Amino acid sequence: VDTFASSAHLSFLSFFLPACLIMTIPAGIPDSLRLQYEDMHKMRAVMEALKKNQELRGVENLKKRMAERAATHTTWRQMKGMQLFMHEINHPGNKPFVIGLGVSCSMFLYAYAKGLGSDKAKAESTYWQRFHAKHD
């Protein structure tokens, strides 16, 4: 027999009220049934979850859920450009590659700022002279 406590408030009330006030267990019942009475709030939570799952079933509800998800959710296949890049950067498995990319880019920018792109460096570079310089 249940008392005034609902299954949602059971865990909250169990800290402040004695167990005898939360759930009244009939006297003289076998131990197997006593355990079921003690776990009644867990079974009610499972039943609520099952009822919610039942409400979500059916072709009409599936179409409604799919339309809602399509309107509110973006997958990586739908992303482009910087949005996709930021999405991939945030994956834990890509962290080593992101760190390597950051180190490589910062080394290149440092070298370029220190004179790699200057006319003097281009004139001294055999690679630049061979493949990029305009020779008349």
Side-chain angles (χ1 to χ4, degrees), residues 52-71:
K52 183 177 179 184
N53 287 343
Q54 282 288 351
E55 291 170 3
L56 295 176
R57 290 185 181 188
V59 177
E60 299 84 17
N61 290 333
L62 174 64
K63 289 178 183 177
K64 188 182 349 176
R65 287 195 324 266
M66 287 178 65
E68 180 183 345
R69 183 154 173 95

Side-chain angles (χ1 to χ4, degrees), residues 70-121:
T72 61
H73 186 71
T74 305
T75 66
W76 67 269
R77 293 174 188 257
Q78 297 164 332
M79 296 179 190
K80 295 182 212 163
M82 189 55 74
Q83 185 184 18
L84 178 61
F85 182 73
M86 295 306 293
H87 174 77
E88 290 298 326
I89 281 178
N90 289 328
H91 277 283
N94 292 340
K95 291 295 181 191
F97 300 104
V98 171
I99 292 169
L101 179 66
V103 169
S104 300
C105 288
S106 60
M107 287 173 50
F108 174 75
L109 289 174
Y110 176 77
Y112 192 80
K114 290 295 180 184
L116 183 66
S118 67
D119 291 333
K120 181 183 174 194

